[in-house]
Amino acid sequence: MLILLAAAALLQTLSEADLRDQILTADNVLFERAFNACDLEALHDILLPDAEMIHDQSGMNRGREAFMRPVRENICNGGPKKPIRRRIYESTEIYPLYQDGQLYGAIQRGQHEFFLREEGQPLLLTNRARYSTVWLLTDNGWKLKTALSWDHLNPIENGPLDADVLTAGFDGEDEFSRLLLAHDIMAENVATVRGGALTEERAMGLAAPGRPAATDTIYNVASLAKPVSALLALRLVDTGLLGLDEPLAPYWTDPDLEGSPFAKEVTARHVLSHTSGLPNWRYLDEGGGGGDCGS
């Protein structure tokens, strides 16, 4: 019984984590792609036809077109000063909505800050506010039903806001953009972690032609997987589930080593230290050999 209860608790935790990831991904589409990068097509797709925006200073907009109009005219009008929204990550809370035991929506709430970006100038903090969004789960994924933003604080009228956590590391955003162009790099994602918590994330460039990169864009990380794999392997060693000097053949044999007398001699230590004898970039060599020993 205790095992079943523990398993149920684990599943519940994973479910909550998955829900948080999905809602934050939807939030990234709404703000990173639509608001910050002015991808109005993405904004159209993430809104329900009867979506509404309720704002304590600019009033209420009901319906998808009414929701999009101020974004198009005020946020994405091509002016020299571009409003930028940043979610305060650690303030974010997600609450699931159920009906008859079935998940149908979620409420997201937290704090966010707004900046003005002007070429050649550091980001200017304009205000901080509280927000809540109601997301509904549809056959086409999560869609925005209602967005509320209130309790806006103007840093000039209400004194300075503590924006160090958000602005540190991103004041050079224009420099990042310049480097992307100079070195022909399509996209870049930057994140700040403070005290073990993700406090800021920013996407720059294009994920594909005509599609801005977002903080949830998936990249081919290539050899960056090596240190992660090494860490996981060494944790298995620490727990006694794997020996550095035991052969790997009982777990897996590389197809290029099948039938080789050395297949049963390759160990975890060999692979982790790139001394297995397998050539690097084997798939580029039609003969199946040659190249540097890479693993």
Side-chain angles (χ1 to χ4, degrees), residues 169-170 176 188-192 198 200-204 215:
F170 291 93
F176 276 121
E188 180 176 34
N189 282 33
V190 184
T192 300
L198 178 64
E200 172 65 312
E201 49 187 341
R202 183 80 178 114
M204 288 160 275
T215 53

Side-chain angles (χ1 to χ4, degrees), residues 147-164:
L148 301 94
S149 188
W150 76 97
D151 194 25
H152 288 77
L153 297 176
N154 186 300
I156 298 177
E157 296 177 356
N158 298 279
L161 296 177
D162 182 12
D164 291 342

Side-chain angles (χ1 to χ4, degrees), residues 12-28 30-31 85 87-98 103-111 131-137 142 144 146 201:
Q12 179 64 27
T13 300
L14 291 175
S15 176
E16 291 174 358
D18 288 343
L19 176 63
R20 182 180 178 87
D21 287 344
Q22 291 180 23
I23 295 302
L24 292 186
T25 296
D27 182 87
N28 286 339
L30 178 64
F31 281 102
R85 180 259 195 180
R87 179 180 65 235
I88 301 178
Y89 188 87
E90 63 271 23
S91 73
T92 306
E93 298 176 343
I94 309 292
Y95 300 91
L97 299 175
Y98 293 96
L103 179 69
Y104 75 90
I107 296 174
Q108 174 190 359
R109 74 176 187 180
Q111 291 180 292
Y131 74 91
S132 291
T133 47
V134 178
W135 298 93
L136 297 184
L137 184 57
W142 290 97
L144 181 71
T146 304
E201 49 187 341

Side-chain angles (χ1 to χ4, degrees), residues 72-88:
R72 185 187 304 111
E73 296 177 355
N74 302 325
I75 306 302
C76 299
N77 58 12
K81 296 182 179 181
K82 172 67 175 70
I84 298 293
R85 180 259 195 180
R86 300 286 169 81
R87 179 180 65 235
I88 301 178

Side-chain angles (χ1 to χ4, degrees), residues 106-182:
I107 296 174
Q108 174 190 359
R109 74 176 187 180
Q111 291 180 292
H112 52 188
E113 293 186 328
F114 294 86
F115 301 80
L116 281 180
R117 184 175 64 198
E118 185 175 7
E119 185 175 357
Q121 300 295 325
L123 286 177
L124 174 65
L125 176 66
T126 58
N127 60 63
R128 170 184 288 172
R130 302 179 189 276
Y131 74 91
S132 291
T133 47
V134 178
W135 298 93
L136 297 184
L137 184 57
T138 73
D139 292 338
N140 295 317
W142 290 97
K143 303 296 180 183
L144 181 71
K145 168 61 177 173
T146 304
L148 301 94
S149 188
W150 76 97
D151 194 25
H152 288 77
L153 297 176
N154 186 300
I156 298 177
E157 296 177 356
N158 298 279
L161 296 177
D162 182 12
D164 291 342
V165 170
L166 288 178
T167 58
F170 291 93
D171 288 340
E173 185 172 326
D174 290 338
E175 179 65 10
F176 276 121
S177 299
R178 185 191 68 78
L179 290 172
L180 289 179
L181 293 174

